[in-house]
Amino acid sequence: MTTPPQDGMPTTRGMNFFRADRNLAFVCESVMAPDVLERARPELDAMGATAGGELDALAADADRNPPALRAFDAGGRRVDEVVFHPAYREMERLAFCRFGLAAMSHREGVLGWPGRVPHVVKYTLSYLFAQAEFGILCPVSVTDSTSRMLRWFGSDELKARYLPGLTATTPEALRQGTQWMTERTGGSDVGASTTRACRDADGTWRLHGEKWFCSNANADMAVTLARPEGGAAGTSGLAMFLVPRLLPDGTRNAWTINRLKDKLGSRSMATGEVTYAGAVAYPVGDLARGFKQMMEMVNVSRLSNAMRAAGIMRRCVLESVVHARGRAAFGKALVELPLLRASLLEMLLDAEAAASVVLHAAAALDRADGGSAPDRALVRVLTPLAKFWITYRARAVAGDAMSVRGGNGYIEEWPNGRLLRDAHLGAIWEGTSSVVALDVQRAILKDGGLDALAGYARERLATVRVPAAAAWARDVGTGFDDLRRRADAWATSDDAARELDARPAAERLYHLFATSLLLAEGQRLASARRSARKLLAAGLYARRWLGATDTPVFSPAALRWLDALVDWGEVPEGALADAR
Ligand SMILES: Cc1cc2nc3c(=O)[nH]c(=O)nc-3n(C[C@H](O)[C@H](O)[C@H](O)COP(=O)(O)OP(=O)(O)OC[C@H]3O[C@@H](n4cnc5c(N)ncnc54)[C@H](O)[C@@H]3O)c2cc1C
């Protein structure tokens, strides 16, 4: 990481976010095969440069100039157009066309890749993108997952008609997807949905109802849920449909955008309220399994959300370190002040843990899609777990980063305000923190989630041999045993007691899992390069999140290592004693 001149107003402008992140390059070595990483590296480098320069400037512009609804044309005819600032259109070009983020999992040859680009590469590129722009990654993610749904469940006719546009990488050919479930009656309780699906005499399905939160409101097609007439109450009666904005003959389908939401964050992207007034809809997959199919889509969106929150955390670390090194108070650089140092260290540990968790989940998704049953079980629980903690924690990290920048952090010319506003959304949509914690609990109770996570973690813990770290690895193993006993007790506890344990248990599980990954990566670094840098991070993370203490979390001795952690400087094995 380069230190900017000490003019008291340092910025990260123009930095390459990939080159500035030694940790990311190292984690990539853990989750990608060497040939995959070598092929990905030039694109990661290009994305790092784009995110730190052009994209960041566009994101600031688009955030200041949110989209507007043009409901009618000059002649009073309904057009339901969303008008975007040119900066957003340019970000669309970067995300969908230059980097092909929505297409790369579904079409061969994107970025010149032989075959399809692995999820883990897509998530790493998107993690860098998210450090500059959050809003447009929703349209990218839902377009990507619309293709996934069509490929998994769609008829040959739907695939042939819509996949080419969804996976196009030119602005002219590109067609975007989206995913609309939430109604006024509720987002968590999707089973309360009231949108009806009726069938004409000729077999055409038509939807009637309102969707209350419709992100990517300008999309060309929406994957949506509706209840076929006479269907059961609750989620079991919901079917999945694809609703195009334009019908095959080019005329507009019967959906109207009633208005756009005035949002706290994610302001570059349009979220609206939509009425289906007899809109033509095509069934996707098994009508009786609509909600279950939709949960597949929601799950990849949740992982994407965790990735975006991890990216926000990393940007916060970068902003804060650059600021603290480039500004002085009381005759010292801010970075030398113990309390500020402790804050930076905490952010760095949170961000590194999040990066590891997200990229391991992405690699597991690749293996699951390749047919691995254990990885499918792992993804089932790891996705809500990552979404639960990382999006929740990103809010606090973004708040701390704002404080590190002091008054300027509160001023919209600096990126902190946008990071904080965007961070808050991750913990609400695609399931609030409580709702996804309950899903983690369900994955443990019904789908063997704890065994899947603990098994994956224990394989990694078993690799840890450096003595001080091996003791931490044993403690983490014991932590998983304790959680097993705790989860077993849920079988006999009453509903309220069990639900009340969902969040604390998920939090503990996340930290045990994250520490396992950090320890294993630390051992790999220690073996390959004789550096205890990453083991130290693992030990400090465990002290922060697994230790019970009301004394200062980090000792002065631990804080001495902050610069070595930031810069990947020399960390001898003896330093591990300072993490205790
Ligand atoms: C900017 C934005 C964009 C969005 N875009 C989309 C979109 O494109 N498509 C879409 O379908 N949805 C979208 N949403 C909707 C979003 O997914 C929902 O807002 C979210 O799932 C919560 O639903 P709700 O707003 O109805 O809140 P509610 O479900 O009413 O929840 C209110 C509170 O009750 C709590 N709660 C609910 N159930 C439980 C429980 N069982 N136990 C404990 N607590 C519980 C929640 O945690 C929350 O704190 C968007 C939301 C926002 C803010």
Side-chain angles (χ1 to χ4, degrees), residues 447-511:
D447 303 320
L450 183 52
D451 295 337
L453 274 172
Y456 188 85
R458 283 187 207 281
E459 276 173 27
R460 271 134 201 92
L461 293 171
T463 65
V464 181
R465 293 184 308 279
V466 170
W472 294 326
R474 278 193 296 280
D475 290 347
V476 173
T478 308
F480 278 114
D481 294 337
D482 293 343
L483 256 184
R484 175 77 273 163
R485 280 189 287 278
R486 187 163 161 183
D488 287 344
W490 291 339
T492 50
S493 51
D494 65 41
D495 289 355
R498 188 184 64 248
E499 288 191 17
L500 279 173
D501 201 25
R503 285 183 73 140
E507 184 175 331
R508 184 97 186 148
L509 189 54
Y510 175 90
H511 297 313

Side-chain angles (χ1 to χ4, degrees), residues 23 26-27 30 348-357 360 456-457 460-461 463-464 469 472-473 476 510-526 531-546 568:
N23 181 63
F26 180 74
V27 176
S30 302
L348 175 139
L349 299 172
D350 282 329
E352 291 196 5
S356 288
V357 170
H360 275 264
Y456 188 85
R460 271 134 201 92
L461 293 171
T463 65
V464 181
W472 294 326
V476 173
Y510 175 90
H511 297 313
L512 289 168
F513 188 76
T515 308
S516 309
L517 301 182
L518 294 174
L519 279 169
E521 285 164 4
Q523 178 62 54
R524 210 168 56 72
L525 183 69
S531 167
R533 188 263 175 217
K534 197 110 206 195
L535 282 176
L536 178 64
L540 291 168
Y541 188 85
R543 178 164 171 79
R544 168 67 183 92
W545 289 109
L546 295 174
W568 281 62

Side-chain angles (χ1 to χ4, degrees), residues 120-132:
V120 69
V121 173
K122 176 179 70 183
Y123 277 93
T124 312
L125 287 166
S126 308
Y127 171 78
L128 289 164
F129 193 103
Q131 291 175 40

Side-chain angles (χ1 to χ4, degrees), residues 330-413:
F330 304 104
K332 286 180 176 170
L334 295 179
V335 73
E336 289 172 41
L337 304 169
L339 280 173
L340 203 128
R341 228 171 149 73
S343 183
L344 295 178
L345 182 52
E346 185 169 82
M347 277 188 228
L348 175 139
L349 299 172
D350 282 329
E352 291 196 5
S356 288
V357 170
V358 164
L359 295 187
H360 275 264
L365 186 61
D366 278 317
R367 295 189 299 271
D369 280 2
S372 158
D375 284 296
R376 192 153 169 76
L378 180 64
V379 168
R380 161 69 188 94
V381 61
L382 184 51
T383 301
L385 186 68
K387 153 81 163 102
F388 162 66
W389 180 256
I390 301 173
T391 61
Y392 184 68
R393 185 67 194 154
R395 297 169 157 201
V397 170
D400 285 352
M402 179 177 269
S403 296
V404 168
R405 184 155 264 136
N408 285 350
Y410 201 70
I411 301 303
E412 290 284 0
E413 280 171 301

